[in-house]
């Protein structure tokens, strides 16, 4: 016990002396070099935090758009080897019995070709009951112009903004109909050969590519064109709370839903997973480069510092200062630099996130806001502190272990 207590007292003494030497070294050192090193460490920290926040923002944006405009929380699809869900009113009634289900919307989708003033675009046309759709998605809140469909509408259509396009084709991101506006008439050839002229009731602009390239009509219109009733190609299900999709997927099965049930993540996972994988590769490369920069900067700063102070280190050892104290003093210097850099990085990151919150990055899938999560921030702090310790320890340990006379002579 006495030996342990003595060791702790000795270690505490070493640390207090080392801290004193570290502070004196920083005070007497080149302030420009110190500030520049802190600035570099701060920028490295920003780089470590920023890209993961954008990746998180992409995921949040995808989830939000998928639920609000594309799929709801769950999608019921036809059984294996079937094109349609038949008896859809009965399916809807079963689903609506679940208290946590806030809405269900049967949809009937098909391929179609749109013609407007010589411009021809192939795409998808979707029929829904406007009343049910408003219980599940937010399409009705994203009208760029015009009005949303009413339940009894026929010969009326809503067009996505990317399908409608602009008169100046240079403003279009993809091929379009060349500037359709509310009140215009569009010729639609359904995939069963039926051709109809539909009046445009409104233009939707959600920011989601998968929505803004489509046309939308009432379910009644689609049933007339295809000569069917009580039939759908999918049923969208909205839950009272996001995040419980897997749980209610199983509950729907228990309620006797024999059709295929997929979550919104499963419906869109191909596109978003490819995008996230690409971002993660870029992030891994960026993180590696950033940490290498941090290692090199700290190593060079401490190495030059120890070279310039070899004689002083030799004198300290000659008067009885333990070499551990010398190593500790440089490690403390490194930790002070890293701490200041991290604090600066946090301030810069906070400012950058605030700016991008008001001026978001615009991706093909819509506006992306940075989402800073605690995990990446903690990992960045730990990794930056570790690489700083390692790159500071090596040159200080090497110099502290030099023979006293060689250090004093500067050999």
């Amino acid at each position: 016990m006495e030996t342990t207590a003595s060791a702790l007292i000795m270690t505490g003494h070493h640390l207090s002396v080392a801290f004193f030497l570290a502070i004196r070294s920083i005070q007497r050192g080149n302030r420009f070099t110190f500030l520049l090193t802190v600035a570099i460490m701060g920028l490295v920290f920003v780089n470590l935090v920023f890209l993961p926040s954008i990746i998180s923002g992409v995921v949040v944006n995808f989830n939000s758009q998928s639920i609000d405009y594309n799929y709801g929380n769950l999608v019921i699809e036809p059984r294996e080897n079937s094109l349609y869900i038949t008896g859809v009113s009965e399916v809807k009634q079963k689903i609506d019995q679940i208290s946590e289900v806030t809405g269900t919307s049967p949809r009937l989708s098909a391929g179609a070709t749109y013609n407007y003033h010589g411009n021809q675009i192939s795409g998808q046309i979707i029929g829904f009951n406007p009343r049910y759709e408003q219980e599940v998605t937010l399409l009705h809140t994203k009208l760029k112009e015009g009005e949303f469909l009413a339940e009894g509408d026929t010969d009326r259509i809503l067009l996505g903004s990317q399908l409608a396009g602009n008169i100046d084709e240079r403003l279009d991101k993809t091929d379009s109909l060349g500037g359709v506006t509310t009140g215009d008439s569009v010729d639609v050839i359904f995939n069963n050969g039926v051709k109809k002229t539909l009046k445009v009731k409104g233009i939707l602009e959600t920011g989601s590519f998968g929505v803004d390239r489509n046309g939308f009509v009432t379910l009644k219109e689609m049933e007339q064109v295809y000569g069917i009733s009580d039939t759908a190609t999918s049923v969208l299900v909205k839950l009272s709370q996001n995040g419980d999709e897997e749980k209610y997927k199983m509950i729907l099965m228990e309620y006797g839903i024999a059709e295929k049930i997929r979550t919104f993540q499963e419906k869109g996972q191909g596109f978003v997973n490819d995008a996230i994988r690409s971002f993660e590769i870029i992030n891994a490369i960026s993180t590696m480069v950033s940490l290498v920069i941090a290692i090199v900067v700290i190593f060079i700063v401490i190495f030059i510092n120890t070279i310039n102070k070899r004689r002083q280190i030799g004198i300290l050892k000659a008067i009885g200062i333990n070499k551990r104290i010398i190593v500790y003093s440089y490690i403390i210097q490194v930790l002070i630099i890293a701490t200041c850099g991290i604090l600066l990085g946090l301030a810069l990151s906070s400012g950058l996130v605030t700016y991008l919150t008001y001026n978001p990055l615009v991706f093909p899938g819509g506006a992306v806001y940075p989402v800073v999560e605690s995990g990446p921030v903690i990992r960045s702090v730990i990794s930056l502190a570790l690489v700083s310790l390692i790159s500071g320890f090596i040159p200080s340990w090497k110099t502290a272990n030099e023979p006293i006379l060689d250090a004093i002579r500067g050999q």
Side-chain angles (χ1 to χ4, degrees):
M1 289 293 291
E2 290 181 3
T3 304
T4 303
S6 299
L8 289 173
I9 292 170
M10 184 65 70
T11 301
H13 174 70
H14 285 176
L15 288 175
S16 62
V17 175
F19 186 79
F20 172 78
L21 291 175
I23 296 298
R24 295 293 291 175
S25 178
I26 291 174
Q27 289 174 340
R28 293 183 176 183
N30 189 310
R31 291 187 179 180
F32 175 77
T33 301
F34 175 80
L35 293 174
L36 181 62
T37 306
V38 169
I40 292 172
M41 296 294 282
L43 293 174
V44 167
F45 183 84
V46 170
N47 198 45
L48 292 174
V49 171
F50 178 68
L51 198 53
S53 74
I54 295 300
I55 295 173
S56 298
V58 169
V59 173
V60 169
N61 179 64
F62 164 76
N63 291 344
S64 176
Q65 289 194 343
S66 295
I67 293 172
D68 292 340
Y69 309 124
N70 281 288
Y71 310 118
N73 296 97
L74 296 169
V75 182
I76 314 298
E77 295 182 330
R79 304 180 190 189
E80 202 72 35
N81 301 320
S82 297
L83 294 176
Y84 300 108
I85 301 171
T86 56
V88 72
S89 57
E90 184 182 346
V91 173
K92 175 176 167 54
Q93 188 177 15
K94 287 180 181 178
I95 300 171
D96 287 340
Q97 292 175 16
I98 302 172
S99 59
E100 288 78 7
V101 171
T102 60
T104 52
S105 177
R107 283 184 168 191
L108 188 55
S109 305
T113 301
Y114 301 90
N115 289 280
Y116 176 75
H117 293 179
N119 296 312
Q120 182 171 295
I121 300 291
S122 295
Q124 189 178 42
I125 190 164
I126 299 170
F128 52 65
N129 182 307
R131 180 165 60 89
Y132 294 154
E133 188 71 19
Q134 291 181 49
E135 295 174 356
V136 177
T137 70
L138 299 178
L139 290 179
H140 60 286
T141 67
K142 291 297 179 179
L143 282 167
K144 182 181 179 182
E145 59 180 76
E147 298 177 358
F148 199 65
L149 293 170
E151 197 166 346
D153 280 346
T154 56
D155 299 327
R156 296 291 185 271
I157 188 170
L158 294 176
L159 294 181
S161 58
Q162 292 187 29
L163 176 60
N166 298 277
I167 296 174
D168 184 354
E169 62 182 17
R170 290 175 299 180
L171 300 176
D172 292 333
K173 298 176 182 178
T174 59
D175 292 338
S176 74
L177 294 176
V180 179
T181 59
T182 301
D184 291 342
S185 294
V186 175
D187 292 328
V188 180
I189 303 174
F190 295 82
N191 62 3
N192 64 348
V194 173
K195 180 179 178 180
K196 295 196 71 172
T197 299
L198 304 177
K199 189 174 182 179
V200 178
K201 192 171 183 180
I203 306 294
L204 288 170
E205 187 170 53
T206 65
S208 173
F209 183 83
V211 176
D212 292 345
R213 290 289 296 172
N214 296 332
F216 301 89
V217 295
T218 61
L219 193 57
K220 181 180 179 180
E221 181 81 61
M222 292 291 283
E223 288 176 342
Q224 289 178 358
V225 169
Y226 286 93
I228 55 179
S229 63
D230 202 24
T231 301
T233 52
S234 65
V235 179
L236 309 190
V237 180
K238 183 73 171 71
L239 301 176
S240 59
Q241 185 173 341
N242 299 334
D244 292 332
E245 287 78 17
E246 290 294 339
K247 173 184 174 182
Y248 285 99
K249 183 177 177 179
M250 301 303 297
I251 290 175
L252 287 175
M253 293 180 184
E254 293 172 1
Y255 270 71
I257 304 300
E259 285 74 16
K260 286 192 293 186
I261 306 170
R262 301 174 70 183
T263 65
F264 73 90
Q265 295 102 326
E266 292 169 339
K267 285 289 292 181
Q269 65 183 357
F271 168 78
V272 76
N273 283 352
D274 288 343
I276 290 172
R277 274 196 294 268
S278 299
F279 272 119
E280 286 177 343
I281 291 171
I282 296 171
N283 183 48
I285 295 171
S286 177
T287 298
M288 189 179 299
V289 170
S290 297
L291 292 178
V292 168
I293 290 172
I295 290 171
V296 171
V297 168
I298 292 293
F299 183 88
I300 290 174
V301 169
I302 298 302
F303 181 76
I304 293 174
N305 198 333
T306 55
I307 290 297
N308 291 336
K309 295 183 177 179
R310 287 177 68 197
R311 191 164 182 272
Q312 178 182 331
I313 292 171
I315 293 171
L316 288 172
K317 290 170 66 179
I319 62 175
I321 298 295
N322 192 301
K323 65 181 180 181
R324 287 185 180 180
I325 294 175
I326 297 169
V327 174
Y328 289 162
S329 71
Y330 281 101
I331 289 176
I332 291 171
Q333 286 184 58
V334 166
L335 287 176
I336 291 172
I337 291 171
T339 301
C340 291
I342 289 168
L343 292 174
L344 176 63
L346 285 170
L348 292 173
S349 298
S350 178
L352 187 59
V353 168
T354 301
Y355 174 79
L356 290 176
T357 298
Y358 292 99
N359 303 276
L361 299 172
V362 180
F363 283 68
V368 171
Y369 300 86
V371 177
V372 179
E373 297 176 335
S374 58
V377 173
I378 293 171
R379 285 196 297 270
S380 298
V381 170
I382 293 173
S383 59
L384 203 54
L386 284 176
V387 299
S388 299
L389 284 173
I390 294 168
S391 55
F393 172 77
I394 294 172
S396 60
W397 179 82
K398 183 177 181 299
T399 304
N401 280 281
E402 280 187 326
I404 293 174
L405 291 178
D406 288 349
I408 294 174
R409 291 169 182 168
Q411 296 178 349

